Amino acid sequence: MGTMKQNLKVIPLGGLGEVGRNMTLFEYQGKILICDMGFRMPGEDMPGIDFIVPNINYLKGKQKNILGVVFTHGHYDHIGAVPYLIEKIWTPNLEFYASPLTRGIILKRQKDFPNQPPIKITEVKDGSKIKLGPFRIEFFRQNHNIPDNLGLFIETPVGNIFHTSDFKFDLHPVYDKPTNFQKLKDFGKRNVLLLMSDSTGAEEENHSLSEKTIEKNLEEIFKRSKGRIFAATFASLINRIQQIISLSEKYGRKVVVEGYSMKTNVEICRVLGYIKSKRGTIIKAKDSEKYPDSRITVLCTGAQGEGSAVLMRITQREHPVLRFRKGDSVILSSSVIPGNERTVQALKDDILRHGVRVYHYKMMDIHAGGHAQEEELKEMIKMIRPKFFLPIHGQYSMLVAHADIAKESGIPEKNIIILENGDLLNLNPKGFSIERERVSSNYVMVDGLGIGDVGEIVLRDRQMLAEDGMFVIVTVVDKQTGKVKGSPDIISRGFVYLRESKELLRDTRRKTIDIIHKATSSGGAVNWTYIKDEIRQKISQFLFSKTQRRPIVLPVVIEV
Ligand SMILES: [Zn+2]
């Protein structure tokens, strides 16, 4: 065995330089442990894309060597890619480990994908220990804004790794135990080689808000509101959902739960005991009219302005039952997707047009309030006392901010490792190196039922269609003579208004006929592929010279 074999490889496939899509591989002597399989939401420059999932090309042909998958918690940026990737890594013996709530959410979601291989997930909780090949993993409770969140202490032949999961320190959590600092300090005494710590809150000063404080802020809105309260939040923000249900009960309100993912999650959590509500608190939307407005809360999805979500449908008067009326209040979370702010702003304005009060409440956000900030991150580093430090989970600026925090907390700069997705980190007790060659980590996009079939080219087409539209030229050609029959037909969408562009169309038709006649006049075999390329190129140039726009030009030649 050479010395190379004694390195532990840490390979982030997603989650670095971005918020979401978290997935990390740990590899020792070819044996692979996977941590999390999350997705992220697309940006506004990705029309039609539903999600982006990690690129797992690296695992191709290595399925046999995958020892297992461990999940830290039930947020979609940690579990959301399971249905899209599972078939590519699945073997009958593949083991999955998750806390009861995380497990419940994953399995419930798998029911929407009935043709997938069955996955068996072993439940783990605070203190559980498992052994997978060279890895011994100990799970421990971490506070966050979803219950049942687990950090990982991974013993490897090379050294011990401490993975924080998403976390914050909370002395007054909601229906959860406060942070166990003693336990964290004990881990710190066990010679941690590498600390991998959540960076999402690294650019925020001070300490994150306790869930108790967030609840108090929410309660102010409940105290003030005389009409119905529409609380729009993320379906996986279980703590917030619980707080809204509890406050509704305290203020004598019934709760209507609307939106598929919201209903599903509330159902799983109630079955597993992670959401508690009194009998009769939750009612159907159509029954809400039986109660005065002051006794109704609507818990719904759509705070990010998602087109098909409940809040948007109510705002557009498209919901079958619910309509806004004067006196109602809407609690709206801010968006987490950079560039989505305009959509949220438009939604907010549209809601206000109904004469409804809007509370734009940042702490309803999945990424605000749930993550350790500067003070907590420092404290974590001081308790764990690692040799090497690797900031994870966050935009590049967050990773850099976290690296600065580590430096201030006493980690020597040379031991701080900032990685990007696809980097391959070789780690041993003495040092580390990053391989020159990266593994593939580019976006794999999910559009409807297609996974990864929408690539850069399709996306570029969509962007072009969105920007300058489409221009189709249909020409009928005599097979014998190569002469164009009649006048080419032009169909255009999103480019110019045809009726007002008669001259442009006439010139385009003439040019098309010229191109075809030129190519077919020499006699001999006619190369229609070449002719179509010619039409595409020349007409594109022509249209650009006349309009400064670049529609997608699609030539269609029909031989008769
Ligand atoms: Zn999370």
Side-chain angles (χ1 to χ4, degrees), residues 73 75 77-78 144-146 166 366-367 371:
H73 65 294
H75 281 155
D77 49 345
H78 294 261
H144 188 29
N145 49 19
I146 184 170
D166 281 351
I366 198 153
H367 295 295
H371 298 269

Side-chain angles (χ1 to χ4, degrees), residues 64 82 87 89 180 203 206 226 310 406 441 475 485 527:
K64 281 198 320 289
V82 172
E87 277 170 303
I89 62 164
N180 185 345
E203 291 179 298
N206 308 321
K226 305 274 179 282
V310 177
S441 67
T475 317
K485 299 184 94 172
N527 183 346

Side-chain angles (χ1 to χ4, degrees), residues 71-72 97-103 122-130 137-142 148-153 177 183 187 274:
F71 296 101
T72 54
Y97 298 87
S99 65
L101 178 62
T102 310
R103 178 179 181 271
T122 307
E123 275 188 12
V124 285
K125 48 185 201 293
D126 187 36
S128 294
K129 289 173 196 165
I130 59 168
I137 304 154
E138 191 171 335
F139 297 86
F140 57 92
R141 203 171 50 72
Q142 284 278 69
D148 246 7
N149 174 40
L150 297 171
L152 313 169
F153 187 85
K177 290 180 201 151
K183 186 158 183 177
F187 279 125
Y274 289 93

Side-chain angles (χ1 to χ4, degrees), residues 460-512:
R460 207 180 56 220
D461 282 353
R462 287 184 185 179
Q463 284 159 358
M464 282 174 75
L465 283 171
E467 274 164 28
D468 289 323
M470 172 185 83
F471 194 87
V472 184
I473 312 164
V474 185
T475 317
V476 180
V477 178
D478 187 308
K479 210 189 287 183
Q480 248 68 48
T481 64
K483 293 265 178 262
V484 174
K485 299 184 94 172
S487 178
D489 256 336
I490 289 174
I491 307 159
S492 130
R493 289 287 180 273
F495 169 56
V496 290
Y497 187 46
L498 293 183
R499 278 198 205 163
E500 286 168 4
S501 319
K502 289 212 170 92
E503 196 182 333
L504 179 73
L505 299 183
R506 199 182 52 227
D507 293 348
T508 307
R509 287 196 182 96
R510 196 175 299 147
K511 266 190 119 46
T512 308

